[in-house]
Amino acid sequence: MIALHGLPFILVEYDGFRRFVASLNPLFKTISRTTIRNDCIKAFEEQKVALQEMFKDAQSRFSLTADMWTSNQTLGYMCITCHYITADWEVKKKVIKFFVVETPHTGIEMFNQVLECIQEWNIEYKLFGITLDNAAANDSMVFELKLNLVDKV
């Protein structure tokens, strides 16, 4: 429920939530926000490994989209989404990386993060394309990616 609805982990420690759960099942043992956080991270890691295995065995190519924005605290964030078609011809997309981009938001810094992501997911030999917006830093990032990936296609 917490992961599905994006609720805060501390929800499990609210008195109202605990009373509600107790009304449904008085024998239910309540847990702390640390436990629920650890459980969510464990589930995430298990799903990540399963998705990496699927990527490894997939016969299709993968396309990436990346978008970067700056928060009102001037922190830069980038999200990388992987798009692919399954063996059953279903179009799928998965967020494979969401991270803070250190300032200054240079093409080299973004390149390092994107290349690390591509390598972590082991898709450098199956990469079809990357779609980005027209930010100036993306031009230098793409230049560096082409230099590092062109021989792997």
Side-chain angles (χ1 to χ4, degrees):
M1 179 183 82
I2 287 174
L4 179 64
H5 298 292
L7 300 172
F9 296 137
I10 198 167
L11 172 75
V12 298
E13 295 180 358
Y14 292 162
D15 287 336
F17 179 78
R18 289 185 176 203
R19 283 194 307 271
F20 172 71
V21 170
S23 73
L24 296 175
N25 181 355
L27 301 177
F28 182 78
K29 182 182 176 202
T30 58
I31 56 176
S32 71
R33 66 178 176 246
T34 303
T35 301
I36 198 70
R37 176 192 168 278
N38 292 341
D39 288 350
C40 285
I41 289 173
K42 180 181 175 192
F44 166 78
E45 292 295 338
E46 290 169 357
Q47 290 298 309
K48 181 179 176 181
V49 168
L51 187 59
Q52 284 174 321
E53 284 297 312
M54 190 281 299
F55 280 10
K56 184 176 81 173
D57 297 336
Q59 298 300 311
S60 64
R61 295 274 186 167
F62 299 98
S63 291
L64 302 178
T65 55
D67 192 21
M68 187 173 151
W69 63 98
T70 304
S71 72
N72 56 3
Q73 294 93 11
T74 66
L75 296 171
Y77 293 95
M78 182 176 269
C79 181
I80 301 175
T81 305
C82 183
H83 306 263
Y84 59 97
I85 299 174
T86 68
D88 298 328
W89 287 93
E90 292 180 85
V91 177
K92 299 284 187 174
K93 65 179 179 177
K94 302 287 183 186
V95 172
I96 59 173
K97 188 163 182 144
F98 184 89
F99 57 98
V100 174
V101 179
E102 299 298 326
T103 53
H105 308 146
T106 66
I108 296 297
E109 176 62 31
M110 292 167 45
F111 157 74
N112 288 330
Q113 292 287 340
V114 172
L115 184 62
E116 179 183 300
C117 175
I118 290 168
Q119 291 171 337
E120 176 184 1
W121 286 89
N122 200 22
I123 58 174
E124 62 263 49
Y125 296 100
K126 297 180 178 186
L127 198 57
F128 179 74
I130 300 175
T131 302
L132 306 161
D133 61 16
N134 62 350
N138 287 339
D139 292 340
S140 60
M141 178 188 66
V142 168
F143 178 79
E144 293 297 327
L145 275 174
K146 283 171 45 175
L147 288 177
N148 282 273
L149 295 176
V150 74
D151 293 334
K152 296 183 178 189
V153 184

